[in-house]
Amino acid sequence: GISGVKILAQTGGPEQLRNGLGLALFGGFRVSESLALELGWDQSFHNPAAVHTAYGEDLDHLVLASVTGDARLYLESSESFFPYVTGGVGFYSLGSQVFGLDSVGTGFQLGGGFEYASSSVMRLGIRARYRGIAMGPPSGGVEDLFISAATVEGMVSLHF
């Protein structure tokens, strides 16, 4: 999926994150008629800046990345419209494409969305989630970076 990330609040960190755009991949399985579990990977790109490298000029971004585990609870649905609420936890990192990793930590996400079945195997969907993230330096120590963010994601999913 493709996502937009709105930074609602931040304390600490190497610099204040501005809003960004990202990509997401996820896979999962339906446990029952109303419950699904999913494993996801997200990366969003923030604060573009020109940098000098050994290869010349380049564009660097701060990258907020995550690997998450989520549960979806499907609400009453029709034949082709599937609303749901979702929540989960994840591992998060923040770093620069050129200069490396700044912070690592954990977080949670809560939200909801819907899917529309455009065929028997393909669904189009949109979801919105709140993310609360606490991170610290990769070498360990006290968590010094807290991020509150909202994401909106558009996606295409295949169901087998």
Side-chain angles (χ1 to χ4, degrees):
I2 297 175
S3 62
V5 180
K6 169 91 173 147
I7 303 299
L8 303 173
Q10 175 184 339
T11 58
E15 65 182 276
Q16 291 297 115
L17 286 179
R18 294 190 302 267
N19 300 333
L21 294 174
L23 300 170
L25 293 172
F26 66 90
F29 62 95
R30 204 79 179 249
V31 176
S32 69
E33 184 72 23
S34 61
L35 178 66
L37 300 176
E38 89 180 23
L39 180 65
W41 168 86
D42 295 279
Q43 263 193 337
S44 57
F45 302 89
H46 307 262
N47 303 19
V51 294
H52 301 287
T53 68
Y55 307 105
E57 286 287 315
D58 200 356
L59 187 62
D60 191 24
H61 292 86
L62 287 178
V63 179
L64 181 61
S66 65
V67 174
T68 60
D70 294 279
R72 281 188 187 186
L73 182 59
Y74 284 91
L75 307 172
E76 185 141 349
S77 59
S78 68
E79 231 175 81
S80 59
F81 185 72
F82 304 91
Y84 61 88
V85 293
T86 184
V89 295
F91 296 101
Y92 288 82
S93 67
L94 178 65
S96 161
Q97 289 177 298
V98 174
F99 300 109
L101 195 59
D102 289 322
S103 298
V104 295
T106 58
F108 69 93
Q109 51 279 344
L110 295 171
F114 69 87
E115 295 177 325
Y116 170 75
S118 57
S119 74
S120 61
V121 296
M122 187 168 72
R123 292 186 184 175
L124 305 174
I126 189 165
R127 69 178 168 188
R129 295 190 289 181
Y130 169 81
R131 294 176 183 248
I133 307 163
M135 292 190 271
S139 59
V142 177
E143 293 175 338
D144 64 350
L145 172 60
F146 300 93
I147 298 171
S148 292
T151 62
V152 175
E153 181 180 324
M155 65 191 108
V156 175
S157 59
L158 301 176
H159 292 254
F160 301 103

